Amino acid sequence: MTKEDIERLVESLEGLPPGGALPVGTMGVEEVRAEDIADVLSDVDEATKVLIVSLLSDEKAAEVLVETDENTSQTVLEHMSQQRMVRLLDLMDPDDAADVIELAPDDLQAGVLAGLEEEQQRSVRALHEYPPQSAGGIMTTEVIAAGSQDTVAATLEVVGEAEQPEASTAVFVTDAAGTLVGVVALQDLLGADPQAEVQSVMDPDVISVPLEADQEEAARQVERYNLASLPVVDAAGRLKGVITLDDVIDVLAEEASEDMLRLAGTSVLHPTTEPILRRLRARAPWLAITLAGTFFAGLMLEAIELKWFGGTGTTSYFSALLYFVPLIAGMAGNVGTQSSTIMVRGFATGEVDPTRPLRVLRGELILAVMIGVMAGIVVGAATTLFFSVDGLGLVVGLALPASILTAALAGTLIPFFCHSIKVDPAYAGGPFLLTLNDLAAIAIYFGVALALKDVLAGA
Amino acid sequence: MTKEDIERLVESLEGLPPGGALPVGTMGVEEVRAEDIADVLSDVDEATKVLIVSLLSDEKAAEVLVETDENTSQTVLEHMSQQRMVRLLDLMDPDDAADVIELAPDDLQAGVLAGLEEEQQRSVRALHEYPPQSAGGIMTTEVIAAGSQDTVAATLEVVGEAEQPEASTAVFVTDAAGTLVGVVALQDLLGADPQAEVQSVMDPDVISVPLEADQEEAARQVERYNLASLPVVDAAGRLKGVITLDDVIDVLAEEASEDMLRLAGTSVLHPTTEPILRRLRARAPWLAITLAGTFFAGLMLEAIELKWFGGTGTTSYFSALLYFVPLIAGMAGNVGTQSSTIMVRGFATGEVDPTRPLRVLRGELILAVMIGVMAGIVVGAATTLFFSVDGLGLVVGLALPASILTAALAGTLIPFFCHSIKVDPAYAGGPFLLTLNDLAAIAIYFGVALALKDVLAGA
């Protein structure tokens, strides 16, 4: 069963209520990789998410919950019994379990935690003591550590018996007090004399980070020194856990997304899977800054004309229109850049499927309409209040949503088009798109002004 | 000797010609990590780069060449003897050697390659057959592969004897024809019966990529499936090499940089270490698009006024000035965003030291002056040609470089300031900065217009 098979299965399931009859062939879902199931889950409606997870074995369901996006996990956990939650969490690595339990309904979390196996429970509680974005928050507590005076043979035996720890390349070495004193590659242990003490083959120059280090700082260390894993120590230098490369990759990707999206003026990490209102809240402050700043630019231009260039004490309809060009162009540019950045980053992280523009277009357009209408009303009213030019508020208030919608459409579709003709969408999504949106916004704005000129004059 | 010690050393060395007397204490440099030496090398002048590398042992110099930025490697290789180059390249992993040799002076490459040890030479030649951004181009050819019918004990022995291969977590399994048939974690081998055949403990469901796969696609697979390493196979499914996690981290970081910088309108990957002219070439096309588009907006606005709002056949000085607001604001915004994006990404990759703004400020300001002056001359001339308003060309031609310089200054310094007060520079570098630069550009533009109004009127 391939990913395509799952997608077909899901299409046949869509709308089926949880607990409905099992369609033929669902058993095959177990053979699909958890990451692929997770991917499909992100795209389907709530009932289907819940249904698919209910069809999975505990082992598979645990993996899928770790891999899928947070919103999907939340939805699935809302409909899961406390008993099953406990079973799934017991199967996860402690760092994953610590993350997933936070997505469960608030009233169940304490009960689920209390139901976990003793060691898992202790690990999860320990991990919850550290901020989620710290080294302590992302490390796993399952570490293979050897005593410095253990023999190579004994250490290799311990490694062979350990249950699938995430970090299996490097063995960390501690002294009697649990202090980290060295590291040795598994491979070097294999090449060493079995009876030698581990401390004679280890590298004592081991890089570690403190529990409270920022996750980005930790990831940077791993990236910089090409480490296979990074031990995390407490204030006394005792080994508390290890950060593995897959965590590092996640952190680096998350930080890159964060930077890119913040530069574009939106502060959610998964801008295509979050609920619309949360997406709106993430963008609104930046758009409000642009709106306020460019409205101020309009006031400034009027003041300049009246004080230094006017003489008559009033401004012409046309130059009053020109005052709002920075606002119209700025808002359209801003919204367009948000859309194009979300697409470009989405293609890179796999969050947006570059062959299916319609899946994201709807969300972007709904947002653009909401933003456009709100901005149009606010600016229209403010313009009518502050500028004594008949009908100017109406023109600005109508042109703004129209140009914002156009910009969102261009910002969403141009990256898809570029991808389909094998041009890097990042090239098209930057200054080129911004300039295009400037021109479109100006054309729309004066189009509206001209259309209303006669209407207003006739009134 | 710490990184700070090196920096102090370098300060005492600055300006010393290659081959000069060795200052006391340089021997300690050997104990510093190659990554830290590489970092310092990026910051110092040419002579110092060459000198430091000439002081290093072959082992350390080889590591440093792999870790430092491409421009530094190029500079160092230009001053290195062919004999030493051969010695250093023989010490590198083949994939690193294949990359570094391309940075050597063109006339030496063939000779160096011919001088390498036979196996290294074969590996490097093989790697050069694949495009540098393909799976084949980034893989290492040093793979530990076991025959499917080998015993666990024999395989463990082979692993222990292998020389430091990059990928030491997973052992790939091939059949008699060299076809990849499975994978087994080193740890699982340790836990298995030593006399069992490898094929009885391996996982036959192994993910691989073809030689010609794009590096980004390969990195994506590793990220998605949390792989420890990714085997690369030829068309017949034969194992040719392996992509390791540190390569993947580099690829993902590179792709993120590429996307971010392209969205900001600059197409070099290391925008603070490249020579000024290359940086200029990377930005110029996008600025030219903005310039042309916003100049066209000015023509459009004039046409709109003359056709629908004018009546007199001429435009006033003030409304003619307004035509160029999109151009002035757009260009300033564009250059400012380039600077702020370069800073934000530079902080994230470690390319820019967030505590030392002056190191990058100079480059950004030189670029801004070059861009501003060129754009000012072009637009000033075009304005004089296309618009029959006295002095307009001069006003635009002077205001443009002034506002571009201001924007570059703000785009560079605001991220540093934000970093120092612990606000994410990405927040400040987006719409906030753009709006600020809009306002500053408009103020500068009309300031110039007013200053020249009297001058022009008096002439």
Side-chain angles (χ1 to χ4, degrees), chain A residues 6-28:
Chain A
I6 282 220
E7 290 186 346
R8 265 197 302 278
L9 166 67
V10 162
E11 271 158 35
S12 73
L13 287 177
E14 289 272 359
L16 205 69
L22 289 190
V24 184
T26 42
M27 291 319 165

Side-chain angles (χ1 to χ4, degrees), chain A residues 284-299 324 326-328 330-332 334 371-380 382 396 400 404, chain B residues 431 435 438-439:
Chain A
W286 309 107
L287 293 166
I289 288 176
T290 305
L291 203 65
T294 51
F295 189 81
F296 179 73
L299 289 169
F324 288 91
L327 187 147
I328 301 272
M331 288 295 287
N334 203 327
I371 290 165
V373 169
M374 288 195 305
I377 291 172
V378 170
V379 177
V396 176
L400 194 53
I404 284 177
Chain B
T435 305
D438 263 12
L439 290 174

Side-chain angles (χ1 to χ4, degrees), chain B residues 109-124:
Chain B
Q109 291 185 13
V112 171
L113 188 55
L116 294 180
E117 283 166 19
E118 199 178 334
E119 200 183 321
Q120 183 79 336
Q121 194 179 135
R122 200 169 37 238
S123 299
V124 170

Side-chain angles (χ1 to χ4, degrees), chain A residues 33 35-36 67 159 165 187 205 220 224-226 260 262-263 286 305 308 318 348 424 427 430 453, chain B residues 33 35-36 67 165 187 205 220 224-226 260 262-263 286 305 308 318 348 424 427 430 453:
Chain A
R33 285 178 194 276
E35 293 85 355
D36 292 326
E67 294 297 332
V159 174
Q187 201 199 345
D205 182 21
R220 207 65 62 211
R224 183 180 169 83
Y225 296 111
N226 294 323
M260 269 177 93
R262 286 181 180 174
L263 277 172
W286 309 107
E305 176 165 22
W308 287 294
F318 181 71
D424 184 345
Y427 278 133
K453 196 184 173 195
Chain B
R33 286 179 193 274
E35 293 85 355
D36 291 327
E67 293 298 331
Q187 201 199 345
D205 183 20
R220 208 63 66 210
R224 183 181 170 83
Y225 296 112
N226 294 324
M260 270 177 91
R262 285 181 180 173
L263 277 172
W286 310 107
E305 176 165 21
W308 288 295
F318 182 71
D424 185 345
Y427 277 133
K453 197 183 173 195

